[in-house]
Amino acid sequence: MKYLAIIVASIALLSPSALAAPPAEHTEAPALVVPNDLRELATQAGERLAPPDTPHLDLPSITVPLVENGRLAGYSFLNVRLHLNDETSIPEIRQRLHFLMHDLVALAHAHPFTLISRDDFSTGDTYERWDQAINTRLGDGVVTELEPLAAGIRLQRRYR
């Protein structure tokens, strides 16, 4: 009887996994691949935001008003990359960057983007005006392309 109590107590103290049957042979099942739009978007964004091999300068973020029917609807936060003719102009651009940013922000407020929907807007002629301001401030041919990289929208409460 004493031995029976010891065996019962030992079995009670064992973990449930010790009493379970041994695991079945592990076999490789084909992986189920579920499409993930966010993963694809992240990959595309990484490729788009990766620095190019050509000379360039990424500007600080620019806040551009969004209007609808002449009324302020919110703001777009825009990241812009300047593609340059050559790298020798980068130090000079950095010395004038505060003037250039002033020009771009002033033009953005004078010629704001137009809200089309909750997550889309039209730039109108703002980029063309920015190109003119860049050429005026830095000289013709210094910047070969103005490339908007990313934009976020923050709408006022009544437009959400």
Side-chain angles (χ1 to χ4, degrees):
M1 192 71 154
K2 181 177 174 182
Y3 293 110
L4 183 61
I6 293 173
I7 293 172
V8 170
S10 298
I11 292 173
L13 294 175
L14 289 175
S15 68
S17 61
L19 297 175
E25 193 79 23
H26 181 66
T27 59
E28 286 291 322
L32 177 64
V33 179
V34 178
N36 186 339
D37 291 338
L38 294 178
R39 186 174 298 131
E40 179 66 26
L41 288 174
T43 301
Q44 291 173 0
E47 291 169 359
R48 182 172 173 82
L49 296 175
D53 295 333
T54 58
H56 69 283
L57 182 66
D58 291 343
L59 297 180
S61 182
I62 302 172
T63 303
V64 182
L66 291 169
V67 296
E68 183 181 62
N69 297 326
R71 295 177 63 183
L72 181 66
Y75 292 92
S76 172
F77 301 93
L78 189 67
N79 293 77
V80 176
R81 175 173 289 156
L82 300 180
H83 293 271
L84 307 173
N85 194 22
D86 59 41
E87 290 184 9
T88 60
S89 59
I90 292 176
E92 185 179 336
I93 294 172
R94 285 193 174 133
Q95 286 180 344
R96 296 179 176 187
L97 188 59
H98 57 289
F99 293 119
L100 180 62
M101 292 303 295
H102 172 81
D103 295 343
L104 299 181
V105 170
L107 284 169
H109 285 259
H111 305 279
F113 295 164
T114 303
L115 185 66
I116 295 174
S117 68
R118 289 181 58 188
D119 54 1
D120 197 14
F121 57 86
S122 169
T123 61
D125 66 346
T126 306
Y127 291 158
E128 290 81 18
R129 292 178 183 272
W130 283 2
D131 281 334
Q132 293 169 358
I134 289 169
N135 288 335
T136 300
R137 179 67 63 186
L138 303 177
D140 288 333
V142 173
V143 175
T144 58
E145 179 188 358
L146 181 143
E147 178 187 12
L149 295 175
I153 294 177
R154 174 73 51 96
L155 298 177
Q156 290 185 356
R157 186 176 307 264
R158 68 177 177 260
Y159 291 96
R160 291 184 194 163

